[in-house]
C-alpha cells in the first residue's frame, strides 16, 4: 500500500505499475502525516487476513529490505509493537499489531506515529536501525547522501 498526498498526480504513475502495489490517495494530506497513516490503515481495515502492518516512509532512503525484515522478525504474539531505535528515539519504520489499528487511525497532526510510540514506550520492542535516522526533506539532504 502506497499512500500519496501533495504530489500524487506526479508520483502515482511511477508506483501504480508495480506488482502487488495498491495506491491510495490522501486528499487531506495538508492535515499532516497522521492523516496519511489513517488513510493507509483504513484501506487495510476491510481485510481480516492480516495480523500486523509495517509502516515506513518514502523519505528514509537508507532503510533497505534487510532492515525491514529485522523489524518483521521481531514481531510476534508477545511483541505487538516493534519500532526502529535511532538517535535516542523510537519511530518508523515500525510494525503494529492489528489491535492498535483504531488508536493509530485516531492520530492527528504532522507527527505520525512517533508520539504515539513514545507514549507507549513500555510496550514497544526496539530494533536498532541507524539507517532510519537519515531522512530526506530538502535538496540539501539529498546532496549530503552523495
Amino acid at each position: 500500500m502506497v499512500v500519496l498526498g501533495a504530489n500524487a498526480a506526479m508520483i502515482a504513475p511511477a508506483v501504480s505499475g508495480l506488482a502487488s502495489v495498491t495506491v491510495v490517495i490522501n486528499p487531506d494530506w495538508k492535515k499532516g502525516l497522521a492523516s496519511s497513516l489513517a488513510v493507509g490503515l483504513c484501506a487495510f481495515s476491510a481485510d481480516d487476513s492480516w495480523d500486523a502492518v509495517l509502516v515506513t516512509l518514502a523519505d528514509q532512503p537508507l532503510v533497505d529490505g534487510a532492515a525491514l525484515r529485522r523489524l518483521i522478525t521481531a514481531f510476534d504474539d508477545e511483541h505487538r509493537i516493534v519500532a526502529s531505535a535511532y538517535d535516542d528515539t523510537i519511530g518508523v519504520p515500525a510494525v503494529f499489531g492489528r489491535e492498535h489499528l483504531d488508536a493509530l487511525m485516531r492520530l492527528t497532526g504532522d507527527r505520525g506515529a512517533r508520539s504515539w510510540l513514545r507514549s507507549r514506550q513500555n510496550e514497544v520492542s526496539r530494533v536498532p536501525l541507524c539507517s532510519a535516522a537519515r531522512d530526506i526533506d530538502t535538496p540539501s539532504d539529498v546532496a549530503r547522501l552523495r
Side-chain angles (χ1 to χ4, degrees):
M1 182 81 53
V2 175
V3 179
L4 300 177
N7 297 305
M10 181 175 59
I11 299 168
V15 296
S16 62
L18 298 173
S20 301
V21 170
T22 300
V23 175
V24 178
I25 306 298
N26 176 10
D28 294 325
W29 59 269
K30 288 182 181 179
K31 292 183 178 179
L33 290 172
S35 68
S36 290
L37 178 61
V39 166
L41 293 174
C42 184
F44 274 112
S45 66
D47 180 357
D48 289 334
S49 67
W50 59 277
D51 185 42
V53 62
L54 168 68
V55 175
T56 189
L57 303 175
D59 70 349
Q60 294 174 307
L62 301 180
V63 174
D64 60 11
L68 298 177
R69 279 189 291 282
R70 288 177 47 216
L71 292 166
I72 293 167
T73 300
F75 180 86
D76 60 27
D77 288 341
E78 294 180 27
H79 303 93
R80 303 295 295 171
I81 306 170
V82 178
S84 302
Y86 51 88
D87 289 347
D88 296 324
T89 192
I90 53 176
V92 295
V95 182
F96 303 96
R98 184 180 191 94
E99 65 274 20
H100 301 293
L101 177 73
D102 290 337
L104 290 167
M105 289 177 58
R106 286 192 302 269
L107 296 175
T108 60
D110 203 32
R111 298 194 99 147
R114 183 177 288 180
S115 296
W116 187 87
L117 286 166
R118 288 180 184 167
S119 71
R120 287 158 182 76
Q121 287 196 35
N122 293 336
E123 299 172 57
V124 177
S125 297
R126 293 163 177 78
V127 174
L129 203 64
C130 296
S131 60
R134 178 71 60 96
D135 68 352
I136 304 300
D137 296 320
T138 66
S140 62
D141 291 339
V142 174
R144 281 195 292 270
L145 282 178
R146 299 181 181 159

